[in-house]
Amino acid sequence: MPKPAPPRAEVDHLVVAGRTLDECVQWCEATLGLLPGPGGAHPLMGTHNRLVPCSANGFERSYLELIAIERGKQPTRSKKQRRWFDLDDEALQATLQRKGPRLIHFVARVPDAHRAVHALAAGSPAIDRGAVIEASRDTPAGRLEWQITVRDDGQRLMYGVLPTLIQWGPVHPTDSMPAAGLELVSLTASHPRADLLREAYARIGLAGVDVLQGAPDLVASLRTPRGLVTLESEGY
């Protein structure tokens, strides 16, 4: 019997985190030369965001997410569960306070999140990408609904180079985003266990992200109004 094909994953969005969303907006203008479009709040996680489309060069329907904890808002999920993308991690927050907003992660779009989670768990070693939870928010263009993997401990895994998985409902955020003059040119991930990372990517059918052996890092090259800009996570 032929081996079943892996689920097909694509780069959905890059995650730039900041201590506050205002700092993210200022960073975006200073670094990329543009103002982000509107976003919204995530009551489940106690976070909020702003978005910028960057679809280009094979990274279709991709965008940049600027995200921060919404001060004074407690997540509606259990207090025993932490926010997504390691946003509750004290070391990460200290870095954001010291160095300002930065690229920390990326999210991969899959047609079947449960199947992709199972594919990672079936590997050797098994990777626990987390539970698939349902989330949504209302926008002027309609309601966004998605399923996304979030571990109870909120960890991104592998210093952020192993993507969170997302399965969108009938509407994708970029459907209503006007072009902003931002293009994703390339995305590269490096990790001391490059073999393990390549295997994980293969299990979810992720292509288009180069994998290198080295210190943990996620490097995104973007064409912006200020020219070519490179963002690095540097293992945070």
Side-chain angles (χ1 to χ4, degrees), residues 203-214:
R203 286 190 171 276
I204 59 174
L206 178 64
V209 181
D210 293 329
V211 178
L212 303 177
Q213 184 86 25

Side-chain angles (χ1 to χ4, degrees), residues 14-36 50 52 64-67 96 99-104 182 220 222 224 226 229-233:
L14 308 179
V15 180
V16 170
R19 194 175 59 87
T20 70
L21 195 54
D22 285 344
E23 288 184 4
C24 288
V25 173
Q26 293 167 11
W27 170 91
C28 189
E29 187 173 20
T31 305
L32 306 180
L34 51 85
L35 285 172
R50 298 279 295 270
V52 189
L64 183 72
E65 178 183 32
L66 309 171
I67 191 168
L96 298 179
K99 296 187 175 183
R102 63 190 306 106
L103 176 67
I104 64 164
L182 185 68
L222 296 159
T224 81
R226 296 190 183 280
V229 173
T230 299
L231 307 180
E232 293 193 57
S233 66

Side-chain angles (χ1 to χ4, degrees), residues 16 38 45 47 133 165 221:
V16 170
M45 295 290 166
T47 59
I133 66 172
L165 306 175
S221 178

Side-chain angles (χ1 to χ4, degrees), residues 51-75:
L51 310 178
V52 189
C54 58
S55 301
N57 308 300
F59 297 102
E60 302 308 317
R61 304 180 97 189
S62 63
Y63 63 96
L64 183 72
E65 178 183 32
L66 309 171
I67 191 168
I69 293 173
E70 188 171 9
R71 304 301 171 183
K73 300 288 186 180
Q74 291 299 318

Side-chain angles (χ1 to χ4, degrees), residues 5 15 26 36 39 45 49 53 71 80 84 89 99 118 120 124 129 150-151 154 170 173 179 186 195 197-199 220:
V15 180
Q26 293 167 11
M45 295 290 166
N49 68 7
R71 304 301 171 183
K80 296 179 180 179
W84 46 24
D89 182 75
K99 296 187 175 183
H118 178 75
L120 289 175
S124 180
R129 182 59 280 184
V150 184
R151 290 167 55 100
S186 64
D195 55 342
L197 187 60
R198 288 192 189 96
E199 173 65 18

Side-chain angles (χ1 to χ4, degrees), residues 9-15 85 104-110 113 116-117 120 127-130 148-151 155-166 187 189 196-207 209 211 218:
E10 301 174 278
V11 174
D12 189 71
H13 63 275
L14 308 179
V15 180
F85 308 147
I104 64 164
H105 193 37
F106 77 105
V107 177
R109 182 173 62 249
V110 293
V117 166
L120 289 175
I127 297 175
D128 178 7
R129 182 59 280 184
I148 188 167
T149 57
V150 184
R151 290 167 55 100
Q155 288 187 16
R156 293 164 291 160
L157 298 182
M158 299 184 76
Y159 296 92
V161 297
L162 181 70
T164 288
L165 306 175
I166 194 168
L187 186 63
L196 177 61
L197 187 60
R198 288 192 189 96
E199 173 65 18
Y201 284 5
R203 286 190 171 276
I204 59 174
L206 178 64
V209 181
V211 178
L218 186 64

